Amino acid sequence: MYLTKEKKSEIFEEHGQSATNTGSAEGQIALFTFRIKYLTDHLKTNKKDMVTMRSLVRLVGKRRKLLDYLKSKDIERYREVIKKLGIRK
């Protein structure tokens, strides 16, 4: 499996406040970004996989909503997350 328990806790520890704080916006955005990158690579080789395409579009929408929330609450945290993850905006 591409997303193990250890990888998840590593993502939350690096981008969130701690490995156990899985509800932080930064941690969720980082997790969604990791999953989006994986699904994008999958779709490059499997072009006709429409179920994965739908999942990818839904994940991008969820990430966009979290980014909009973070932007409205704290613009500095938003800018930091965008820069750290390399998300285009």
Side-chain angles (χ1 to χ4, degrees):
M1 186 167 178
Y2 76 100
L3 189 61
T4 60
K5 189 176 185 181
E6 292 81 21
K7 182 64 178 172
K8 238 185 202 184
S9 64
E10 177 186 319
I11 289 171
F12 282 115
E13 190 171 326
E14 183 179 341
H15 297 285
Q17 285 81 15
S18 69
T20 57
N21 187 6
T22 59
S24 67
E26 293 92 342
Q28 290 290 319
I29 292 168
L31 181 65
F32 288 159
T33 302
F34 178 80
R35 292 175 63 193
I36 287 169
K37 287 179 183 177
Y38 177 80
L39 291 178
T40 303
D41 290 340
H42 172 78
L43 283 172
K44 286 180 183 176
T45 57
N46 303 297
K47 296 182 187 329
K48 295 186 178 184
D49 190 355
M50 292 301 137
V51 175
T52 303
M53 176 65 80
R54 181 174 186 265
S55 299
L56 177 64
V57 170
R58 290 182 68 187
L59 270 177
V60 170
K62 283 182 179 182
R63 183 179 71 178
R64 179 78 262 149
K65 285 179 187 177
L66 272 174
L67 284 168
D68 289 344
Y69 166 77
L70 195 59
K71 187 177 182 179
S72 69
K73 291 294 181 184
D74 189 358
I75 191 73
E76 292 304 318
R77 283 173 51 197
Y78 168 79
R79 289 180 182 150
E80 182 181 324
V81 167
I82 292 291
K83 184 178 179 184
K84 197 173 193 181
L85 294 174
I87 299 173
R88 291 181 296 153
K89 177 59 184 155

